[in-house]
Short mmCIF file of all heavy atoms in Angstrom, two decimals:
data_model
loop_
_atom_site.label_atom_id
_atom_site.label_comp_id
_atom_site.label_asym_id
_atom_site.label_seq_id
_atom_site.Cartn_x
_atom_site.Cartn_y
_atom_site.Cartn_z
N ASN X 91 156.38 96.29 134.33
CA ASN X 91 157.18 96.42 135.55
C ASN X 91 158.51 97.09 135.24
O ASN X 91 158.95 97.15 134.09
CB ASN X 91 157.44 95.03 136.14
CG ASN X 91 156.15 94.31 136.50
OD1 ASN X 91 155.62 94.46 137.58
ND2 ASN X 91 155.63 93.50 135.56
N GLU X 92 159.17 97.56 136.28
CA GLU X 92 160.43 98.28 136.07
C GLU X 92 161.38 98.08 137.24
O GLU X 92 160.97 97.96 138.40
CB GLU X 92 160.14 99.78 135.90
CG GLU X 92 161.38 100.61 135.58
CD GLU X 92 161.03 101.94 134.95
OE1 GLU X 92 159.92 102.08 134.38
OE2 GLU X 92 161.87 102.84 135.03
N LEU X 93 162.66 98.01 136.87
CA LEU X 93 163.75 98.15 137.84
C LEU X 93 164.28 99.56 137.69
O LEU X 93 164.70 99.96 136.60
CB LEU X 93 164.86 97.13 137.57
CG LEU X 93 164.55 95.69 137.97
CD1 LEU X 93 165.58 94.74 137.35
CD2 LEU X 93 164.54 95.53 139.49
N PHE X 94 164.26 100.33 138.77
CA PHE X 94 164.66 101.73 138.70
C PHE X 94 166.17 101.88 138.91
O PHE X 94 166.84 100.97 139.39
CB PHE X 94 163.89 102.54 139.75
CG PHE X 94 162.41 102.54 139.52
CD1 PHE X 94 161.57 101.74 140.29
CD2 PHE X 94 161.85 103.31 138.52
CE1 PHE X 94 160.20 101.73 140.08
CE2 PHE X 94 160.48 103.31 138.30
CZ PHE X 94 159.65 102.51 139.07
N ARG X 95 166.67 103.05 138.55
CA ARG X 95 168.10 103.34 138.69
C ARG X 95 168.60 103.03 140.10
O ARG X 95 169.64 102.39 140.27
CB ARG X 95 168.39 104.80 138.32
CG ARG X 95 169.79 105.27 138.72
CD ARG X 95 170.01 106.72 138.38
NE ARG X 95 170.55 106.85 137.04
CZ ARG X 95 171.85 106.83 136.76
NH1 ARG X 95 172.74 106.63 137.74
NH2 ARG X 95 172.29 106.98 135.53
N GLN X 96 167.86 103.46 141.11
CA GLN X 96 168.32 103.24 142.48
C GLN X 96 168.36 101.77 142.84
O GLN X 96 169.20 101.33 143.64
CB GLN X 96 167.44 104.01 143.48
CG GLN X 96 165.96 103.65 143.45
CD GLN X 96 165.15 104.57 142.56
OE1 GLN X 96 165.67 105.08 141.56
NE2 GLN X 96 163.89 104.80 142.93
N ASP X 97 167.46 100.97 142.24
CA ASP X 97 167.49 99.52 142.46
C ASP X 97 168.79 98.93 141.94
O ASP X 97 169.47 98.15 142.61
CB ASP X 97 166.32 98.84 141.75
CG ASP X 97 164.96 99.30 142.26
OD1 ASP X 97 164.86 99.57 143.48
OD2 ASP X 97 164.02 99.37 141.46
N LEU X 98 169.12 99.29 140.71
CA LEU X 98 170.29 98.71 140.05
C LEU X 98 171.58 99.20 140.69
O LEU X 98 172.53 98.42 140.86
CB LEU X 98 170.25 99.04 138.56
CG LEU X 98 169.01 98.51 137.82
CD1 LEU X 98 168.99 99.01 136.38
CD2 LEU X 98 168.95 97.00 137.86
N GLU X 99 171.64 100.46 141.04
CA GLU X 99 172.84 100.99 141.67
C GLU X 99 173.04 100.39 143.06
O GLU X 99 174.18 100.19 143.50
CB GLU X 99 172.78 102.51 141.73
CG GLU X 99 172.92 103.17 140.36
CD GLU X 99 172.93 104.68 140.42
OE1 GLU X 99 172.33 105.25 141.36
OE2 GLU X 99 173.53 105.30 139.52
N ARG X 100 171.94 100.09 143.74
CA ARG X 100 172.04 99.44 145.05
C ARG X 100 172.70 98.06 144.92
O ARG X 100 173.36 97.59 145.85
CB ARG X 100 170.64 99.33 145.67
CG ARG X 100 170.58 98.73 147.06
CD ARG X 100 169.33 99.23 147.79
NE ARG X 100 168.12 99.12 146.99
CZ ARG X 100 167.26 98.10 147.06
NH1 ARG X 100 167.49 97.10 147.90
NH2 ARG X 100 166.18 98.08 146.33
N ALA X 101 172.52 97.43 143.79
CA ALA X 101 173.12 96.12 143.55
C ALA X 101 174.54 96.24 143.01
O ALA X 101 175.20 95.21 142.79
CB ALA X 101 172.27 95.33 142.56
N GLY X 102 175.02 97.46 142.80
CA GLY X 102 176.38 97.65 142.29
C GLY X 102 176.48 97.61 140.77
O GLY X 102 177.58 97.60 140.22
N LEU X 103 175.32 97.60 140.08
CA LEU X 103 175.36 97.59 138.63
C LEU X 103 175.72 98.97 138.09
O LEU X 103 175.44 99.99 138.72
CB LEU X 103 174.01 97.14 138.06
CG LEU X 103 173.77 95.63 137.94
CD1 LEU X 103 173.88 94.94 139.30
CD2 LEU X 103 172.41 95.36 137.33
N LYS X 104 176.34 98.98 136.92
CA LYS X 104 176.73 100.23 136.28
C LYS X 104 175.72 100.57 135.19
O LYS X 104 175.50 99.79 134.27
CB LYS X 104 178.13 100.11 135.68
CG LYS X 104 178.61 101.35 134.93
CD LYS X 104 178.80 102.55 135.84
CE LYS X 104 179.95 102.37 136.77
NZ LYS X 104 180.23 103.61 137.54
N ILE X 105 175.10 101.76 135.29
CA ILE X 105 174.11 102.20 134.32
C ILE X 105 174.83 102.81 133.11
O ILE X 105 175.66 103.71 133.27
CB ILE X 105 173.16 103.25 134.92
CG1 ILE X 105 172.61 102.79 136.28
CG2 ILE X 105 172.03 103.57 133.95
CD1 ILE X 105 171.88 101.49 136.26
N LEU X 106 174.48 102.34 131.91
CA LEU X 106 175.11 102.86 130.70
C LEU X 106 174.18 103.71 129.85
O LEU X 106 174.61 104.68 129.24
CB LEU X 106 175.65 101.70 129.83
CG LEU X 106 176.62 100.73 130.49
CD1 LEU X 106 177.13 99.73 129.46
CD2 LEU X 106 177.77 101.46 131.16
N VAL X 107 172.90 103.33 129.79
CA VAL X 107 171.94 104.03 128.92
C VAL X 107 170.62 104.13 129.66
O VAL X 107 170.14 103.16 130.25
CB VAL X 107 171.73 103.26 127.60
CG1 VAL X 107 170.63 103.93 126.76
CG2 VAL X 107 173.02 103.17 126.80
N GLU X 108 170.00 105.32 129.63
CA GLU X 108 168.68 105.47 130.25
C GLU X 108 167.86 106.53 129.53
O GLU X 108 168.38 107.31 128.72
CB GLU X 108 168.79 105.78 131.74
CG GLU X 108 169.38 107.12 132.09
CD GLU X 108 169.44 107.34 133.61
OE1 GLU X 108 168.66 106.70 134.34
OE2 GLU X 108 170.28 108.14 134.05
N SER X 109 166.58 106.54 129.86
CA SER X 109 165.63 107.47 129.28
C SER X 109 164.96 108.27 130.39
O SER X 109 164.67 107.73 131.46
CB SER X 109 164.56 106.70 128.49
OG SER X 109 163.43 107.50 128.21
N GLU X 110 164.69 109.55 130.12
CA GLU X 110 163.98 110.37 131.10
C GLU X 110 162.57 109.85 131.32
O GLU X 110 161.99 110.04 132.39
CB GLU X 110 163.94 111.82 130.63
CG GLU X 110 165.31 112.49 130.59
CD GLU X 110 165.24 113.92 130.07
OE1 GLU X 110 164.12 114.35 129.72
OE2 GLU X 110 166.28 114.59 130.01
N VAL X 111 162.00 109.19 130.32
CA VAL X 111 160.63 108.69 130.41
C VAL X 111 160.59 107.21 130.74
O VAL X 111 159.85 106.78 131.63
CB VAL X 111 159.88 108.95 129.08
CG1 VAL X 111 158.47 108.36 129.13
CG2 VAL X 111 159.82 110.44 128.77
N ALA X 112 161.39 106.42 130.04
CA ALA X 112 161.30 104.96 130.15
C ALA X 112 162.27 104.36 131.15
O ALA X 112 162.24 103.15 131.37
CB ALA X 112 161.53 104.33 128.77
N GLY X 113 163.11 105.16 131.77
CA GLY X 113 164.03 104.65 132.77
C GLY X 113 165.26 103.99 132.19
O GLY X 113 165.64 104.22 131.04
N VAL X 114 165.91 103.15 132.99
CA VAL X 114 167.16 102.51 132.59
C VAL X 114 166.89 101.49 131.49
O VAL X 114 165.98 100.66 131.60
CB VAL X 114 167.83 101.82 133.79
CG1 VAL X 114 169.04 101.01 133.34
CG2 VAL X 114 168.24 102.86 134.83
N HIS X 115 167.69 101.55 130.46
CA HIS X 115 167.61 100.55 129.39
C HIS X 115 168.75 99.55 129.48
O HIS X 115 168.53 98.35 129.39
CB HIS X 115 167.63 101.22 128.02
CG HIS X 115 167.92 100.29 126.89
ND1 HIS X 115 167.18 99.14 126.66
CD2 HIS X 115 168.91 100.30 125.93
CE1 HIS X 115 167.68 98.50 125.60
NE2 HIS X 115 168.71 99.18 125.16
N LEU X 116 169.98 100.03 129.66
CA LEU X 116 171.16 99.18 129.57
C LEU X 116 172.03 99.37 130.81
O LEU X 116 172.38 100.48 131.18
CB LEU X 116 171.95 99.53 128.31
CG LEU X 116 173.31 98.88 128.09
CD1 LEU X 116 173.21 97.36 128.09
CD2 LEU X 116 173.93 99.35 126.77
N ALA X 117 172.38 98.24 131.44
CA ALA X 117 173.28 98.25 132.60
C ALA X 117 174.14 96.99 132.54
O ALA X 117 173.82 96.03 131.83
CB ALA X 117 172.49 98.28 133.90
N VAL X 118 175.24 97.00 133.27
CA VAL X 118 176.13 95.85 133.31
C VAL X 118 176.46 95.50 134.76
O VAL X 118 176.35 96.33 135.65
CB VAL X 118 177.45 96.11 132.53
CG1 VAL X 118 177.19 96.18 131.03
CG2 VAL X 118 178.13 97.38 133.01
N SER X 119 176.85 94.25 134.96
CA SER X 119 177.23 93.77 136.29
C SER X 119 178.44 94.51 136.80
O SER X 119 179.15 95.18 136.02
CB SER X 119 177.48 92.26 136.22
OG SER X 119 178.36 91.94 135.15
N PRO X 120 178.73 94.44 138.10
CA PRO X 120 179.84 95.21 138.67
C PRO X 120 181.20 94.96 138.00
O PRO X 120 182.05 95.85 138.00
CB PRO X 120 179.86 94.77 140.14
CG PRO X 120 178.44 94.39 140.41
CD PRO X 120 177.95 93.75 139.14
N ASP X 121 181.40 93.77 137.42
CA ASP X 121 182.66 93.48 136.72
C ASP X 121 182.69 94.08 135.32
O ASP X 121 183.68 93.97 134.62
CB ASP X 121 182.87 91.96 136.63
CG ASP X 121 181.68 91.27 136.01
OD1 ASP X 121 181.47 91.43 134.80
OD2 ASP X 121 180.92 90.60 136.75
N LEU X 122 181.57 94.69 134.89
CA LEU X 122 181.44 95.47 133.65
C LEU X 122 181.26 94.64 132.38
O LEU X 122 181.15 95.20 131.29
CB LEU X 122 182.64 96.42 133.46
CG LEU X 122 182.91 97.41 134.60
CD1 LEU X 122 184.11 98.29 134.27
CD2 LEU X 122 181.68 98.27 134.87
N LEU X 123 181.17 93.29 132.48
CA LEU X 123 180.99 92.48 131.28
C LEU X 123 180.20 91.20 131.49
O LEU X 123 179.43 90.79 130.61
CB LEU X 123 182.35 92.12 130.67
CG LEU X 123 182.29 91.24 129.39
CD1 LEU X 123 181.61 92.00 128.26
CD2 LEU X 123 183.66 90.75 128.99
N ARG X 124 180.36 90.54 132.65
CA ARG X 124 179.83 89.18 132.79
C ARG X 124 178.34 89.08 132.54
O ARG X 124 177.85 88.10 131.99
CB ARG X 124 180.15 88.62 134.19
CG ARG X 124 181.63 88.54 134.54
CD ARG X 124 182.43 87.68 133.57
NE ARG X 124 181.92 86.34 133.40
CZ ARG X 124 182.17 85.32 134.22
NH1 ARG X 124 182.90 85.51 135.31
NH2 ARG X 124 181.69 84.11 133.95
N VAL X 125 177.56 90.10 132.95
CA VAL X 125 176.12 90.11 132.68
C VAL X 125 175.73 91.49 132.14
O VAL X 125 176.07 92.51 132.73
CB VAL X 125 175.29 89.80 133.94
CG1 VAL X 125 173.81 89.62 133.55
CG2 VAL X 125 175.79 88.55 134.65
N VAL X 126 175.05 91.49 131.01
CA VAL X 126 174.54 92.71 130.37
C VAL X 126 173.02 92.68 130.49
O VAL X 126 172.38 91.70 130.12
CB VAL X 126 174.97 92.77 128.89
CG1 VAL X 126 174.37 94.00 128.21
CG2 VAL X 126 176.49 92.77 128.77
N TYR X 127 172.46 93.77 131.02
CA TYR X 127 171.03 93.82 131.30
C TYR X 127 170.34 94.84 130.40
O TYR X 127 170.69 96.02 130.40
CB TYR X 127 170.78 94.22 132.76
CG TYR X 127 171.34 93.27 133.79
CD1 TYR X 127 172.55 93.54 134.43
CD2 TYR X 127 170.64 92.12 134.16
CE1 TYR X 127 173.06 92.68 135.40
CE2 TYR X 127 171.12 91.25 135.13
CZ TYR X 127 172.33 91.53 135.74
OH TYR X 127 172.83 90.68 136.71
#
């Protein structure tokens, strides 16, 4: 399963690392630290 970039951005998460093939790898909560995904 996958959470896509548009899913995470809709939630206000900040995308830090992604792959053209495998999608988003690393994102953080809107406060930039409290939750690392």
Side-chain angles (χ1 to χ4, degrees):
N91 300 273
E92 184 160 338
L93 285 167
F94 298 103
R95 168 182 269 271
Q96 58 266 31
D97 298 325
L98 301 174
E99 290 183 332
R100 182 154 48 96
L103 275 59
K104 177 66 68 173
I105 311 302
L106 304 185
V107 175
E108 67 180 337
S109 164
E110 294 178 358
V111 176
V114 173
H115 165 55
L116 173 57
V118 290
S119 50
D121 54 71
L122 304 180
L123 179 65
R124 300 302 305 278
V125 189
V126 177
Y127 298 99

